[in-house]
Amino acid sequence: LVSFNIACEPTQIGAVIESNVVPAIVRILSDENEPTNLKEEAAWTFSKMSNNKNGTKDQLMYLISNGCIPALCDLLLHQNKFL
């Protein structure tokens, strides 16, 4: 999973962005039919990537422009209290 492979360095965050998996992660978070454990990993991935100590401003703007915030907000509606 992607979240385990990110050590929170700009070069690693850039590699995740360049691999074009961000839209898929957004879909996982937004799809109510995805398994909880997959949603949890997706949320951890965005959490690590969006920490202002880890990535660059451009990387954060990329996440925002690709729907990261609404996707994370969708988790607030999830029935599982651990998400």
Side-chain angles (χ1 to χ4, degrees):
L1 296 170
V2 175
S3 69
F4 290 120
N5 293 320
I6 299 176
C8 302
E9 296 178 9
T11 54
Q12 292 174 318
I13 294 169
V16 172
I17 289 171
E18 289 173 13
S19 71
N20 284 329
V21 298
V22 171
I25 297 170
V26 169
R27 281 192 299 277
I28 289 168
L29 288 174
S30 300
D31 186 346
E32 63 185 46
N33 296 316
E34 290 290 349
T36 300
N37 62 333
L38 194 55
K39 286 180 171 291
E40 184 178 337
E41 288 303 319
W44 270 112
T45 300
F46 279 150
S47 174
K48 289 180 177 183
M49 291 177 72
S50 63
N51 184 323
N52 66 354
K53 296 177 188 172
N54 303 329
T56 66
K57 180 180 176 184
D58 289 339
Q59 289 169 336
L60 182 57
M61 293 307 297
Y62 176 85
L63 295 176
I64 292 169
S65 68
N66 277 274
C68 175
I69 293 173
L72 288 170
C73 288
D74 286 343
L75 292 180
L76 297 173
L77 303 174
H78 199 274
Q79 297 296 323
N80 188 320
K81 65 181 179 180
F82 296 110
L83 275 176

